[in-house]
Amino acid sequence: MDERYEPAAVERAAQRHWADHRSFAAREPAPGAAASGGGDKFYCLSMFPYPSGRLHMGHVRNYTIGDALTRFMRMQGRNVMQPMGWDAFGLPAENAAMANGVAPAKWTRDNIAYMKKQLQALGFALDWEREFATCDPSYYRWNQWLFLRMREKGIAYKRTGVVNWDPVDQTVLANEQVIDGRGWRTGALVEKREIPMYYLNITAYADELLGALKGLDGWPERVRTMQANWIGRSEGAEVAFPLADDARDALAAAAATGAGGDAAGAAPALKVFTTRVDTLFGVTFMAVAAEHPLALAAGARDPALQAFIDECRRGSTMEADIATMEKKGRRTGLHVLHPFTGQPVEVWVANYVLMGYGEGAVMGVPAHDERDFEFAQQNGIDIRPVVHPEGGVDVWPWAKGPWQPSYGEHGLTVDSGEFSGLGFQAAVDAITTALEARGLGRKRVQFRLRDWGISRQRYWGCPIPLVHCPKCGEVAVPDAQLPVVLPEDLVPDGSGNPLGKHKPFLEVACPTCGGPARRETDTMDTFVDSSWYFLRFACPDNDRAMVDERVRYWLPVDQYIGGIEHAILHLLYARFWTKVMRDLGLVGIDEPFANLFTQGMVLNHIYSHQPAEGRRSYFNPADVDVVEDGGAKRYIATRADGSTLEVRYDGLGTMSKSKNNGVDPQSLVEKYGADTARLFMMFAAPPEQTLEWSDEGVQGSFRFLRRLWKAVHEHVSAGPAPVLGREVAREALDAPQKTLRRTAHQTLAKVADDIGRRRTFNTAVAAVMELLNAVSRFEDRSPAGRAVVQEALEIAVIALSPMVPHISHALWQELGHADAIVDLRWPEADPSALVQDAITLVVQVNGKLRSQIAVAADADEATVRAAALADETVRRFVGDDTPKKVIVVPRKLVNVVV
RNA sequence: GCCGGGAUGGCGGAACUGGUAGACGCGCCGGACUCAAAAUCCGGUUCUGGCGACAGAGUGUGGGUUCGAUUCCCUCUCCCGGCACCA
C-alpha cells in the first residue's frame, strides 16, 4: 500500500472497476415478473442539468446528494436506478449563438460532452446506458405526439396571450431579457403585446393537484405549502354589473369602427369575481384592464385616456413588476349599474388590473379592501363602509387617515338594503342566491393558477407539430410524419425566430390537401421537456412508444432531488403532465415523485458592469478583487486580457451562467480529487440549507481523507489483525477497547440514520471524523486492540463510502477484502457493543447548569434524585432551602427548583 | 408587493421530540519535529471579570409561555428562493 494518498490514481482505479463491472447498470426484472414497482426497486433521480457549459457547485451538491443516497440504497440491497440526461433546449444556447456565431445545437452538444466528462470524473454511480438529451428528435417526437393527443382532447387549446415585445428588435423577449422595463439588447421600452398561443388546461386539474398534496407525505412541507398557495383556491361569487346606456353606446360605436376588439358589444354586462360579495353594497367604482373592451371603447373617444392606456401597455408582464409599480388609474366616463340598487357605478382603467387574469375587471370596495382604499384615496372616489367589524370600534374612521387592518375583517353588514345585519357567511349566501335569481351572478370557485402557455417564438426548442394551410386552416402533422425535426444549423441573430426565414423548414405540403402550406414556427416551452423525462429514463430506447411496461416497474421516482427554486413551476408541471398521461391511459401512477428532497441554493457574490451602451456584463468573483478605499469598498475586475475595470457589487445570488458567478468544481477536482470535492460539499452545510460558497475549508476535508489513509496504512503495515469474535472474544475486551468499539458502532448507526432518515450528510461526516479522532488517540497495539482498530477502520470506511466512494474502494481492499465495497451490504450496528454501564447526568439548579453526576445507566428516579441532592456543588447553590420541586428527565438531567 | 424559507463564536455549522449551547471542520494562538520552511503531531480558542477555583452574560430585535426556550407563540429587522418566457 502506498504511504501517500494519491487521489488521481485511486479515483482512476475505482472508476475503472465500476465501468468494467457495469456496477451501476440498473436491471429490470424478467418480462412479466413484476407488474408495478417490485418492493426492492429504488429509482433515485437528481434533476437533470441544463448543459450551460461547465458544472457549478450547485450541480456538485445536487448530484453528490443523489449519489450518496444511491450508493447507500444499493448497500441496503435495493435495485437502484440513477440515470442522467440533459435538459438541452433553451435560451442560453441562443444567447451563446448570438455572442459567438455558433449554432445552438453545436454549442449544446459540445457542452454536454464536456459536462459528461466532469460528471464521470466525480465518480457518480450513474447508469449512462439510459442517457438522452431533450434536443434528440427521438425524445422530443413524443412531446409532439402527446401535444397532438392533448389537442384532440381539448387539453391543449389556442387563445391569445400577453408577451414582452421589443419594438426595436421586433421580437418577443423572455422575462429575463427585460431589465428595468427595457429590452436587454436594445434598451428600448418594452411593450405588452397580445399574440395567439397554445395553452394547456392545467386549471382543469387544479382541484386534483391541490387535493393530492395532502397525500405527498414524502415531500417537504414548505414545497407543499408553496404549491397550495400557488394554486390558490378561493370560493366566491361571479357578479355581473349590467352596462349603463353610456357604456353600451360606447361599445356599439367602437364595434362600428372596429376599435373595440373582438369582444366589443358582445357583453351585456361587466363580469367580476369576488370573494367578498358581502361588500357588494360598498362598491363605489369598477376597475378594468387597459386592454379591456370598455377601456378601448372609452379610449377611442378620449385622447387623454387613450394616452393612459398606451402608457399601461408599456412595461413588462412580470408579476413582481406589476405588484410593485405605482397604482394608477383614470376614469372612463362610462358606467355600469349596481345589480341591486341600479345605481350607476363609474368604470376606471387601472394599471394593476390585468386582462387574462380572471375577467380583466374587478369591483372596487375601498372601505374593505386595502388596494381599493388606496386607489380611492388617490383618486377622490367615495368610501362607503358596509361591514361593521365584529368587536370593532363603534366609530367609522374610514374617511380620513390610513388603512387599518380591521377594515378588511369580516363582520356584520350595514347599509346593504335587505341584506343588512348579516354575518359574513349569511350575507354571502343571501346575496349570491339573490344574484342568481336575477341572473346576475353565481357561486364560483376561482383558482389563482392560470393555464400554462407553452408557445415560444424561439428557435431552440421542440417544434409544435402544426401546419397552416390556406385551404384547410390549422392542420396537425400526422403521427406517421413525426418527429417534426428542428434544423440544427441555424444561428439566431436576435431579430426573431430564424425558423421564420428558413424555407426548407417553413415550406411544406399540407398533410390534408397536399397544397402548399406553412409550417408552424413556434416551439414549446422547455418546461414541457422536463415534465416527463423521468418517465423516459425507464425506456429511453423505445422508438415505437412514448412509454412502455418498464415505466410501470420503475415509477414513481422513489427519491427526487433538486433545487428549491423548482418548488413550484417544474414540479407542478410534472405532476400535471403525469396526470394527463394517466388519463390518456399511458401510465398507471397519479403522482411522479414519491419522495422529494429540495436542496438549498449555492450562492456566490455577483459583480457587474453597465457600459454606456449595450448589455450589462457580469464578472466572475474569482476575477474580482475587493479593495478597501478609505472605509469604502471598491471592486476591481481583471479581464481575460489583463486589463482592469471597476465593477458594481450586486449582492449574493444563485450560481448561474447568466450572472457569471459559478464556481467550476474542476479546479478543486484537479487539486484535491473528486472525493475531497464531494466530501467538502456534503460537510459544509446541511443540504436543505442555502450555502454561501467559500472554499476556505476544502483543505480540511482533504486533510481528513489523508489522515484516514494514513491510519489505514499504519494499521495494515503492522500485518493482518486478529479477527474480532474469532481470534479475540468480544467479551474479553478491556474498558478502553470496549469504548472504542462502542464509538465505532454508534457511528455506524448514526450514519445510517443520518443518511437513510434525516438526509443530513454533514452530521454523518462529522460523526466519522470523531470516530477517526478516537482511533488516532487509541494506542493499544495488543492483538485485541488491533482487532478493535481493524473493526473501527472498516466501519469508518463503510460509513464514508456513499460520500467518498473512490478512497473507500481502495481502503476496503487494503483492509484485506477481496470483494469491492460498492457491492457490500450495509452492516447493522452490534447491539452488544452499544450497551453502557454508567452514564453522566447534568444537574441544574433553577434551570442553570451547576454540576454533573455519574449514575448507573438503569438507576431509578429516586436514586438519581438522591445523588443529585447529595452533590456538593448542588448543595452549595441550594443552601439551606428545601427544594420546591425536583424534575428528573430520565437519562438526561435533574433540575432542582428552589 | 405577494408566497415560502433562513439568521447560533472570527468563519461554515452541531444541538433530531422543550432538557449540558457551540459537536465536527476552518481560521487564529502556543508548543513539538526541522538548519529552515512546508507537511505532520500535541495543546488552547464564545464574550466579560478573575492568577485561579469560579462567577456573570450569551443563539438577529423586542416581548410572551415554561421548572427549563436555539427549539413553541407574537412583533420587528435583514438575507435568500419563487412570482408563470432563466432553467
Side-chain angles (χ1 to χ4, degrees), chain A residues 440-457:
Chain A
L440 291 176
R442 64 192 174 93
K443 227 174 137 168
R444 206 178 87 190
V445 170
Q446 168 106 335
F447 291 97
R448 209 188 74 94
L449 179 69
R450 307 196 300 262
D451 277 345
W452 172 15
I454 59 157
S455 298
R456 296 290 179 271
Q457 298 67 47

Side-chain angles (χ1 to χ4, degrees), chain A residues 157-491:
Chain A
Y157 66 94
K158 198 174 191 177
R159 67 167 163 86
T160 61
V162 184
V163 295
N164 304 307
W165 180 257
D166 186 320
V168 174
D169 265 350
Q170 292 284 297
T171 188
V172 175
L173 296 178
N175 282 340
E176 194 190 47
Q177 297 171 316
V178 179
I179 293 156
D180 300 330
R182 291 170 182 273
W184 67 340
R185 287 159 54 82
T186 63
L189 280 172
V190 168
E191 298 167 9
K192 297 184 189 77
R193 179 171 276 214
E194 283 196 64
I195 57 166
M197 293 179 33
Y198 264 92
Y199 281 83
L200 302 186
N201 191 5
I202 190 173
T203 50
Y205 287 80
D207 258 321
E208 190 191 345
L209 288 166
L210 181 65
L213 287 172
K214 283 190 209 78
L216 291 176
D217 45 20
W219 282 40
E221 197 57 48
R222 57 172 167 166
V223 176
R224 290 195 279 174
T225 305
M226 280 190 262
Q227 290 217 348
N229 291 340
W230 182 263
I231 295 167
R233 184 179 199 276
S234 52
E235 289 179 3
E238 187 181 282
V239 185
F241 289 72
L243 301 181
D245 290 343
D246 55 10
R248 203 181 296 275
D249 293 347
L251 281 178
T257 62
D262 310 336
L270 183 62
K271 272 195 207 164
V272 299
F273 174 83
T274 177
T275 57
R276 290 300 303 273
V277 77
D278 61 315
T279 63
L280 185 56
F281 284 79
V283 170
T284 54
F285 70 97
M286 304 295 285
V288 299
E291 298 87 354
H292 194 281
L294 270 179
L296 298 175
R301 315 189 304 182
D302 177 352
L305 180 62
Q306 187 57 47
F308 176 69
I309 290 171
D310 293 341
E311 184 191 324
C312 289
R313 285 184 177 218
R314 282 201 288 275
S316 82
T317 60
M318 280 180 268
E319 192 189 295
D321 288 349
I322 291 156
T324 49
M325 74 188 173
E326 192 191 345
K327 311 284 178 288
K328 286 189 199 165
R330 234 167 215 277
R331 45 175 29 118
T332 61
L334 306 180
H335 297 80
V336 294
L337 304 175
H338 191 280
F340 289 110
T341 66
Q343 291 290 315
V345 180
E346 182 157 19
V347 178
W348 289 65
V349 180
N351 62 352
Y352 62 86
V353 182
L354 297 181
M355 207 59 206
Y357 293 15
E359 310 289 344
V362 296
M363 66 184 209
V365 185
H368 304 292
D369 179 272
E370 187 171 0
R371 191 174 61 182
D372 294 349
F373 180 86
E374 272 156 23
F375 190 79
Q377 279 200 326
Q378 210 176 86
N379 295 295
I381 298 172
D382 282 352
I383 296 173
R384 190 186 301 158
V386 290
V387 170
H388 195 169
E390 281 176 67
V393 281
D394 240 358
V395 287
W396 301 89
W398 274 272
K400 293 259 185 282
W403 169 264
Q404 304 293 325
S406 63
Y407 299 174
E409 286 167 12
H410 292 174
L412 293 179
T413 51
V414 293
D415 294 339
S416 297
E418 55 182 300
F419 305 105
S420 299
L422 300 176
F424 170 74
Q425 197 56 54
V428 166
D429 291 346
I431 293 173
T432 311
T433 307
L435 282 170
E436 212 154 341
R438 290 167 183 237
L440 291 176
R442 64 192 174 93
K443 227 174 137 168
R444 206 178 87 190
V445 170
Q446 168 106 335
F447 291 97
R448 209 188 74 94
L449 179 69
R450 307 196 300 262
D451 277 345
W452 172 15
I454 59 157
S455 298
R456 296 290 179 271
Q457 298 67 47
R458 263 188 271 287
Y459 158 56
W460 189 236
C462 167
I464 293 178
L466 297 171
V467 169
H468 302 278
C469 172
K471 276 190 215 148
C472 313
E474 189 178 277
V475 180
V477 174
D479 289 354
Q481 292 176 28
L482 295 181
V484 174
V485 176
L486 187 70
E488 294 203 349
D489 52 353
L490 306 188
V491 180

Side-chain angles (χ1 to χ4, degrees), chain A residues 91 152 220 237 263 325 341 408 472 481 547 611 831 834 870-871:
Chain A
L91 201 53
E152 287 159 10
M325 74 188 173
T341 66
C472 313
Q481 292 176 28
V547 290
L834 298 174
D871 183 85

Side-chain angles (χ1 to χ4, degrees), chain A residues 23-38:
Chain A
S23 297
F24 309 121
R27 291 164 295 275
E28 283 88 16
S36 144

